[in-house]
Amino acid sequence: GLPKAPNNYHPIRRPKDALERRDYVVNRMLADGNVSIEEASHAKQESIVVRRRQDTEYVAGGEYFAEEVRRRLIDQFGSNALYRGGLAVRTSLDPQLQQMADRVLKAGLIDYDRRHGWRGPLRRMAVGAGWSERLSEMDRPKGGLDAWQLAVIRRVNTDSASIVFSNGSVGSIPLSEVTWAREWQPGQKRGPAISRMDQVLLEGDVVFVETVSEDDDGNPYLPETYALRQVPDIGGALVALDPHTGRVLAIN
């Protein structure tokens, strides 16, 4: 809808006009038989979302690949041509494979690390009031995934632990989400199976948690249920190649 008069349908300065133009285009697509009535109706119900260029990440997880491409372009053409020359660069990176590689590598490192036991909380706080305030002043440790949150253990029961976040909200960790956290003992073996929450967590422990909606068997959890997380003490790399051409399809 924009090529006819981009300034007249600017989504930030003239959102109403932009929305009307969007709906006009959708109606034309419907009249030409390019979309169904259901698809057109659904499209017109959506809001117009504007993202700043610097906030756009075209291929999540492809930062290493993009950096290597950038270095090679600078070596070949120079930085002035790279940043001001209007270059159009096509690469062999497959966005879908890159997302799969990113997800699989992270899951593999976490699974491997879990098989080597629980290394304990990130830190411990003195038991008492003001946990949320103290947590908000704490620097976030490196290595945690974006979906992980810092929390303080405020109470430990036999089969669960209640937690509090820096904003004062609360949640709970069920025993089923800490059974992997067996102590690593000398002789390269894990400790006894977890049957009580206090074998893993104590009041005042600061840990990473992630929200979960169901257990491993697919049974739903109550709202505000979280799982214990641990930053893997191991690194890894993954490269996916086309064996016929040698092109790099994904890299982590």
Side-chain angles (χ1 to χ4, degrees):
L2 290 178
K4 181 180 179 180
N7 192 57
N8 292 343
Y9 307 113
H10 195 289
I12 296 178
R13 292 195 295 266
R14 307 183 71 169
K16 182 179 179 181
D17 293 334
L19 195 64
E20 292 178 351
R21 181 64 177 173
R22 190 278 308 276
D23 290 349
Y24 168 78
V25 172
V26 172
N27 288 333
R28 288 300 310 151
M29 295 175 67
L30 176 61
D32 292 341
N34 293 313
V35 296
S36 66
I37 295 177
E38 292 76 13
E39 290 172 330
S41 176
H42 179 74
K44 288 190 289 186
Q45 290 176 8
E46 294 184 357
S47 301
I48 295 180
V49 179
V50 180
R51 294 183 177 87
R52 296 180 301 173
R53 182 181 297 271
Q54 57 266 37
D55 292 340
T56 304
E57 186 176 9
Y58 295 103
V59 181
E63 296 84 0
Y64 293 111
F65 186 96
E67 176 61 17
E68 181 61 25
V69 171
R70 187 188 70 83
R71 290 179 180 180
R72 295 195 180 192
L73 290 172
I74 289 179
D75 291 342
Q76 186 171 354
F77 300 105
S79 59
N80 188 62
L82 173 62
Y83 294 113
R84 299 184 180 182
L87 298 179
V89 181
R90 294 184 179 182
T91 74
S92 58
L93 186 73
D94 185 316
Q96 184 175 5
L97 290 180
Q98 180 60 54
Q99 293 175 7
M100 292 172 61
D102 188 51
R103 182 175 65 253
V104 168
L105 180 61
K106 288 178 180 177
L109 294 177
I110 291 173
D111 288 345
Y112 179 89
D113 185 73
R114 283 186 169 192
R115 293 196 296 271
H116 289 75
W118 170 244
R119 293 188 298 278
L122 299 170
R123 61 173 291 183
R124 287 190 171 92
M125 290 185 180
V127 177
W131 275 341
S132 296
E133 292 77 7
R134 283 180 279 167
L135 185 63
S136 64
E137 297 171 356
M138 178 180 170
D139 293 332
R140 180 182 172 90
K142 296 180 179 180
L145 300 185
D146 293 340
W148 297 2
Q149 302 179 63
L150 282 176
V152 181
I153 307 300
R154 65 172 186 169
R155 186 170 60 253
V156 176
N157 302 315
T158 301
D159 58 357
S160 67
S162 62
I163 57 178
V164 61
F165 297 95
S166 59
N167 61 3
S169 62
V170 297
S172 66
I173 304 174
L175 184 65
S176 56
E177 293 298 335
V178 303
T179 53
W180 64 268
R182 296 161 65 178
E183 182 184 5
W184 187 251
Q185 296 182 341
Q188 300 291 306
K189 62 179 182 179
R190 290 191 295 173
I194 303 300
S195 59
R196 303 187 321 275
M197 185 62 73
D198 61 7
Q199 291 177 267
V200 180
L201 299 172
L202 300 173
E203 292 183 16
D205 285 353
V206 178
V207 295
F208 270 130
V209 297
E210 182 178 13
T211 182
V212 287
S213 59
E214 59 184 31
D215 62 19
D216 292 339
D217 297 324
N219 300 312
Y221 282 133
L222 293 174
E224 308 303 327
T225 298
Y226 295 82
L228 180 66
R229 295 292 185 252
Q230 175 174 255
V231 177
D233 190 23
I234 184 176
L238 184 154
V239 179
L241 299 170
D242 184 330
H244 302 290
T245 64
R247 292 177 176 175
V248 177
L249 305 177
I251 184 170
N252 287 84

